[in-house]
Amino acid sequence: MFNKEIETLPLAQLRKLQSERLVKLVERVYAKVPFYKNALDQKGIKPSDIKSIEDLHKLPFTKKTDLRDQYPFGFLTLPENDLARIHCSSGTTGKPTVVAYTKKDVEIFSEVVARSLAAGGAKPGMKLHNSYGYGLFTGGIGLHYGAEKLGMSVIPVSGGRTDRQIQLLKDFQSEVICCTPSYAQTIAFELEKQGISLSELNLKYAVLGAEPWTDAIRKDIETSLGVKATNIYGLSEVIGPGVSQEAYDEQSTGSYIWEDHFFPEVVDKDTGEPLPYGEEGVLVFTTLTKEAMPMLRYWTNDICSIYYDESKSRTHIKMSQIKGRADDMLIIRGVNLFHTQVEEVFKDCPQLTPNYQLVVTKDGVNDRVEVKVETSQDYQKEIALAGGFTDEEVMSHESLLYLNRDLCKKIKDATGLSMKLSLKAHGKIPKSEGGKLQRIVDLR
Amino acid sequence: MFNKEIETLPLAQLRKLQSERLVKLVERVYAKVPFYKNALDQKGIKPSDIKSIEDLHKLPFTKKTDLRDQYPFGFLTLPENDLARIHCSSGTTGKPTVVAYTKKDVEIFSEVVARSLAAGGAKPGMKLHNSYGYGLFTGGIGLHYGAEKLGMSVIPVSGGRTDRQIQLLKDFQSEVICCTPSYAQTIAFELEKQGISLSELNLKYAVLGAEPWTDAIRKDIETSLGVKATNIYGLSEVIGPGVSQEAYDEQSTGSYIWEDHFFPEVVDKDTGEPLPYGEEGVLVFTTLTKEAMPMLRYWTNDICSIYYDESKSRTHIKMSQIKGRADDMLIIRGVNLFHTQVEEVFKDCPQLTPNYQLVVTKDGVNDRVEVKVETSQDYQKEIALAGGFTDEEVMSHESLLYLNRDLCKKIKDATGLSMKLSLKAHGKIPKSEGGKLQRIVDLR
């Protein structure tokens, strides 16, 4: 552990620390940030109403649109010339989102990344091959500073040029790599293609993040790179990578949230009401210690659950893997559903095209989902040729009934929900015209 | 000044400091780096022979090929797990060149860059728009750490996406930009194209480097970006950017070399003999303080002169602008000549093609240069049409004599050397076949 005292702080003490920090934080943002003064005033909340972390739910949420509205520096609690660093999101859709740091914020950022790397297996003296992009994106520099703080030797490779990445992995014998899970797979693929054996490398740990991934991907990466692979989670608006991290010896049990700095809640995506530990909803963070641009209840839009895992080595709370984005989540008969769960079922099915829609209706008090998906031209032809059928006859052929039954079972297994499945002829579901296809038609 | 005490240290004290540091350095590399032990042994030099900075010339040179031969870690003075960071060159031609840093080396790097930025006009609290590439290249991270040390607010933009760079320059109102001179020109060009007035920006200083540039380019950038533009010089093998820096109020008088850390010499490119202050030759650096991978007399291959400028604010030595690379330098009758100086004369001359050659011969003790250059097809046609001349008649037409006389004068003005000029018909000088054209034919 990088900071054993804090990472194993008894919960009561952690709560005390969080409460003290929250009280100061609310005073600070009320005095310094007009956006928060207005938001608290509108709710009729005074800073003095916030006496402990228990009062957190009284505070307003902060959403990404608020950050955009306050672009560039509306959320600052201090003058611009007291800043140490400014990052921002790529701003592909309109104005970028600005995130600003004081020197102390950069130190906090380094501390939580150092803890995360250590939890991921890294030790002082090891080499970190850092393939996260350096620049305005917080990934590269974030991991860089954390590794430096931990006492590693950092190789600031940044992204791209996989050939060179592999040469450096071989020549420098780095023990730890950090990048996105998909880039780890790219490197593994390239190693295999070039016939490079794992014995030529010295990788032991991979700290992967910046995109959702699964245990199946983990298994693939662990085998193909010869590493223990763990999840690092974060977002620039909160601080960057290092908001939470999975321990390498507690894989698949969730990622520790460094809750002395980032207080998490999971709330109902529609009502904003806090949900009990273990229930899935929108992850929300309050930055208890950030100076330049603290956030009250920042709405990450990520769906997961949080819970204490008392059998584990640290006292901090854990979060589950991210299931998806809140604006993609349906609640069907009380069960959370992402259309991507259904997509997963269809993915490796050659009888279908990737074109599908979920139509949600209400039948009395019950939600009903109809899944419409296209059969592929090849599959239709195959049936037609075999029996000399017309187009119409093909679509009512019995093999489609078997396929339908099979898919319904797989969907039930994957989602926990029974759905009606309608197989449509090729071309019968509207295609995306440039933009994103409307996968969900919610008629409730 | 960032570090007034050191930047204005009386020369006698600077010499004393340099001597103490050199003695320790030689002991260290002799004991730790087999390459240096061998090189000293071969010269019959013992560490105890090095008593002061005056003995520096006894030591062997280190060349880029030596770094390649010792790839990756042959030059390390300590175990790999004592390193804090590893950079390397792009390695487009074979193995990359590795440069390694301890924590203390990174601190020295930050210190000299902080001094450089301050000399370039930057002050604590100002925003630095850092457009140098981040990653394995030392430019981006080098400037980043230096600016942080100076107390600036760093915007780690890295290279590319000029549109976004301009948006951030406008929105964040950065006072200082650092990048290559050519990228500064690209940004200026884009500003003009988009009709953005300088009053919408807040730029005051530009710290430019990583490529040779001229006072003409400086003038262009200063006008088009509304800045004071200064030169920063460095190379990864020595430490990165920040080896030397021009002061913003002493422009065009040379760049200060931070000689408490990097001891410079200028030597004859053929004999390696040290040259007196003010004479042009190859710049060579000894890193007096670097821990992980110190360099004895590193042969930069850059041509310039060094000199003390006693009327100026700091005591450290200055270097002139880089004239070119040693392997491109001719010595003609004692005068240094780069073929690019002749190329400059031809550049804006529509009567010529860009195809030329310099043929150097010896006539007794005297060097002679014949410049062969092609006339353009358009120019030949123009003469032929006007007088109904044959191809042969065109090439002896009197307008070519005038052109020849004019060019000879311009070459003499630009280089200080009289040369014979031969105008050749279009297509009469061999063209590059993929590779670089042999611009110089040295027959001495």
Side-chain angles (χ1 to χ4, degrees), chain A residues 279-295:
Chain A
E279 279 192 27
E280 264 177 23
V282 178
L283 184 61
V284 167
F285 281 109
T286 297
T287 65
L288 297 173
T289 49
K290 260 175 75 187
E291 282 187 337
M293 210 176 123
M295 290 281 116

Side-chain angles (χ1 to χ4, degrees), chain B residues 4-23:
Chain B
K4 193 166 185 181
E5 192 192 333
I6 282 288
E7 292 177 51
T8 62
L9 201 66
L11 269 192
Q13 280 174 258
L14 198 53
R15 286 290 171 272
K16 192 163 167 281
L17 189 69
Q18 288 165 337
S19 294
E20 289 163 9
R21 288 176 171 180
L22 182 66
V23 169

Side-chain angles (χ1 to χ4, degrees), chain A residues 57 61 63 264-276 279-285 297-300 302-306 326 329 331 336:
Chain A
H57 66 278
F61 293 110
K63 297 204 170 179
E265 300 166 272
V266 162
V267 304
D268 183 281
K269 83 178 182 79
D270 295 315
T271 66
E273 285 304 308
L275 296 172
E279 279 192 27
E280 264 177 23
V282 178
L283 184 61
V284 167
F285 281 109
R297 306 187 85 199
Y298 183 74
W299 185 276
T300 68
D302 284 328
I303 299 289
C304 70
S305 62
I306 56 175
M329 189 178 90
I331 301 176
N336 297 342

Side-chain angles (χ1 to χ4, degrees), chain B residues 119-134:
Chain B
K123 281 166 200 64
M126 283 184 177
K127 295 198 197 83
L128 178 71
H129 183 100
N130 186 1
S131 305
Y132 274 117
Y134 279 69

